[in-house]
Amino acid sequence: MRWKWLALPLLVCMLFLVACQPKQVAKDGLPIVEKPLTRTETLLHTVVQISIYHKEQEETLEEGIAYVKEMERLLSTNLEGSDIYRINQAAGKEAVKVDPRTFELIERALEMGEKSQGRFDVSIGAVNNLWKIGSEDARKPSDAEIKAALPHIHYQDVQLDKKNQTVAVKEGMVLELGAISKGYIADGLKKLFAEKGITTAIINLGGNVVVMGASPAHKEGWKVGVQDPDQVRGTVVGSVYVVDGSVVTSGIYERYLEVDGVIYHHILDPATGYPVENTISGVTVFTKTSTQGDALSTTLFLLGIDKGMEFIDQLDGVEAVFIDKDRGVHVSKGLKDRFELSNEEYHLVND
């Protein structure tokens, strides 16, 4: 048995981030510089990299890193004393008062559960805790263990009290916000930076990227690479120019467990308790907010390509690139003229 966890950043093509133009000044903002102030840390079980394209923003950068650490302490499933840890420990016993940001995030997660008809379910922890894919304790649970856990996966049993800011779950339930929390934290960082006058920056929380403004080098925006699902992060299939938006990617390459020659990836189906089985090997979602993109990347994986495309078409300002296991690239309507295929091993599929 072996497990694998790859936690390198989603590629924002660095060749295109080095400006070759004179210094710019954003409208009503700070002067924009060619070489960013960058900080890289291992946080949120991944590599966090923040780049600010303005001078003398060391203090703001420190505040950003401190914010990520603070949110990790609130939202971690396993960190004793975190809001999520306390909720899970009190399952079936009592409601737990939480930080307003934790409450807001759980509200949004439940909304996505409703929109996705339960495919996105933050109570997936009941089976996540059995598999533990991505940790040294990863294992393939028995069918009996999974069947026993399934009744405890039901997002509608999460009880919120908005007035008192409390959260309660039934006995046996386990909240797990890993499929949406990085997006929420990235959005929070963007808000913090905007309050400091930052207009041009890259926030990269592993597979969650938020770009502020446009690249100093390209008026079309930041050239963001779509990950090759068959390779480690850093190898791309193609790219899209993005201005002031979020890009989130999920793939079966990120974390997996191999038992007796069979690979089990980390994206679990709340209906079965097993890794989802379909033709998708990777999906990249383009949205305005990273919270939405994070939740959607999991939801679309579970929906599959055809239903996923239908779901995307119902949402404003949302686009996606699906990559199938035959190396076909499926692009949503709004990206057909924007996506640039660059990997000869892949081909565009005309859906």
Side-chain angles (χ1 to χ4, degrees), residues 69 171 205:
K69 292 178 178 179
E171 184 178 359
L205 310 185

Side-chain angles (χ1 to χ4, degrees), residues 38-295:
T38 299
R39 178 86 171 266
T40 303
E41 297 266 354
T42 300
L43 298 167
L44 307 173
H45 303 289
T46 190
V47 177
V48 170
Q49 186 175 81
I50 302 171
S51 298
I52 298 177
Y53 285 76
H54 305 287
K55 284 184 178 180
E56 300 176 352
Q57 293 301 316
E58 288 82 2
E59 185 176 334
T60 301
L61 194 54
E62 287 296 332
E63 286 186 40
I65 293 295
Y67 170 79
V68 175
K69 292 178 178 179
E70 178 189 8
M71 295 306 295
E72 185 169 26
R73 289 192 294 269
L74 279 179
L75 303 176
S76 170
T77 304
N78 300 315
L79 184 62
E80 189 171 345
S82 77
D83 280 354
I84 306 306
Y85 180 90
R86 293 188 300 111
I87 292 168
N88 291 336
Q89 289 297 305
K93 301 173 185 175
E94 60 184 357
V96 175
K97 187 173 181 61
V98 298
D99 185 280
R101 294 166 294 183
T102 304
F103 192 91
E104 179 185 43
L105 178 56
I106 295 174
E107 269 190 319
R108 294 190 187 180
L110 297 181
E111 289 170 5
M112 181 55 72
E114 199 67 31
K115 289 178 182 177
S116 68
Q117 298 181 337
R119 290 178 177 85
F120 181 86
D121 196 320
V122 288
S123 62
I124 192 71
V127 290
N128 271 350
N129 280 355
L130 296 177
W131 288 90
K132 296 184 178 179
I133 296 175
S135 77
E136 294 182 358
D137 299 324
R139 68 183 182 92
K140 180 180 179 294
S142 68
D143 290 341
E145 288 177 295
I146 291 173
K147 287 179 181 177
L150 288 178
H152 302 299
I153 302 174
H154 193 219
Y155 71 94
Q156 291 174 324
D157 287 336
V158 179
Q159 301 168 11
L160 302 182
D161 183 334
K162 197 173 185 71
K163 180 180 179 181
N164 295 307
Q165 296 284 288
T166 62
V167 182
V169 298
K170 293 185 176 181
E171 184 178 359
M173 292 184 70
V174 180
L175 290 191
E176 166 58 70
L177 297 181
I180 192 172
S181 59
K182 282 195 298 180
Y184 185 80
I185 294 169
D187 287 337
L189 267 176
K190 180 180 179 180
K191 180 181 178 182
L192 171 66
F193 287 172
E195 290 171 351
K196 300 290 184 179
I198 302 299
T199 61
T200 309
I202 301 173
I203 299 163
N204 191 338
L205 310 185
N208 295 62
V209 172
V210 169
V211 294
M212 297 180 68
S215 166
H218 289 268
K219 62 182 179 181
E220 299 97 331
W222 305 96
K223 193 170 187 179
V224 181
V226 173
Q227 168 69 25
D228 181 343
D230 293 334
Q231 303 292 331
V232 297
R233 288 195 188 276
T235 305
V236 300
V237 169
S239 57
V240 177
Y241 281 105
V242 179
V243 176
D244 203 39
S246 165
V247 185
V248 179
T249 191
S250 290
I252 58 177
Y253 56 85
E254 293 179 295
R255 284 177 282 154
Y256 63 80
L257 168 71
E258 184 173 344
V259 180
D260 298 329
V262 179
I263 291 177
Y264 300 90
H265 62 77
H266 73 292
I267 303 174
L268 304 180
D269 187 339
T272 67
Y274 283 88
V276 60
E277 293 186 14
N278 58 29
T279 61
I280 300 176
S281 61
V283 60
T284 299
V285 187
F286 298 79
T287 56
K288 278 299 180 184
T289 71
S290 195
T291 306
Q292 182 187 31
D294 209 1

Side-chain angles (χ1 to χ4, degrees), residues 228-231 236-237 281 323-324 326-329 341 343-348:
D228 181 343
D230 293 334
Q231 303 292 331
V236 300
V237 169
S281 61
I323 300 176
D324 65 39
D326 293 323
R327 298 193 171 184
V329 180
L341 184 70
N343 192 322
E344 294 180 354
E345 296 182 3
Y346 287 81
H347 61 276
L348 286 169

